[in-house]
Amino acid sequence: MPADLSEHLVALFRWIDPGPSSSHLVSDVSGWWRDPEVLAGLGPALVEPFRVAAPTVVVAPAVTGLILGPLAATALGVGFAPAYKAGDGRVPAGAVSWAQSPPDFRGRRVDLGIREQHLGPGDRVLVVDDWVTTGAQLRAVYAICATRGATVLGTAAVVRDCPAEVADELRVRALLDADRLAA
């Protein structure tokens, strides 16, 4: 990854204090989406570690995955299949394979679904996400891929904020470690 992209990501990131009713700061990555250089560089930088593995499709969980996934897919010259979250207002049409995540860093379980017509045997999947903390949503996406007979090559992420054993298990390659974004 170009050093200037890394520096741009750090410079455009903010932690937001949502107020006294919240127990934690909230990440604000909106600056990434507003900067044309970052947008142009994210897709190629995310896919570079996986390019030789020849992914045939990129899968990414909603919501920020709906931005990052197409950027990565375009950089690879392959298609994109979103992993929808149940109850977020986007009801996928047709048959959908669903999986529930284990508890995430807030203790929530998330139901994710991928339209069956967009993922099947023989697919070589690159999963893309903005931030990996527990790997909970990735595990749900990996389970869907296994159910559909697809092979997951690994996960490309912008920020890795998970223990090394989780990153190793899920084959996470990230552009930044969370410690560079200290609050």
Side-chain angles (χ1 to χ4, degrees), residues 29-173:
V29 299
S30 63
W32 297 349
W33 316 137
R34 181 62 177 93
D35 188 285
E37 290 179 29
V38 169
L39 280 179
L42 274 173
L46 285 166
V47 305
E48 190 54 38
F50 297 95
R51 190 175 294 280
V52 298
T56 61
V57 64
V58 170
V59 172
V63 172
T64 52
L66 300 180
I67 297 170
L68 289 171
L71 292 174
T74 300
L76 286 169
V78 301
F80 169 65
Y84 297 96
K85 292 181 182 173
D88 74 353
R90 291 175 200 86
V91 179
V96 178
S97 289
W98 292 94
Q100 185 175 79
S101 76
D104 66 10
F105 70 101
R106 291 187 192 144
R108 300 172 301 184
R109 292 181 182 269
V110 177
D111 292 316
L112 291 160
I114 300 173
R115 292 179 65 191
E116 292 179 2
Q117 72 183 46
H118 296 300
L119 186 65
D123 273 320
R124 299 171 53 76
V125 180
L126 174 59
V127 179
V128 174
D129 208 351
D130 64 335
W131 203 288
V132 179
T133 303
T134 64
Q137 290 187 44
L138 298 179
R139 285 183 174 88
V141 170
Y142 281 36
I144 295 167
C145 291
T147 297
R148 299 294 305 142
T151 301
V152 177
L153 302 172
T155 298
V158 180
V159 179
R160 184 192 120 181
D161 193 17
C162 61
E165 53 274 5
V166 172
D168 290 345
E169 172 196 346
L170 299 172
R171 299 171 309 280
V172 175
R173 301 294 175 266

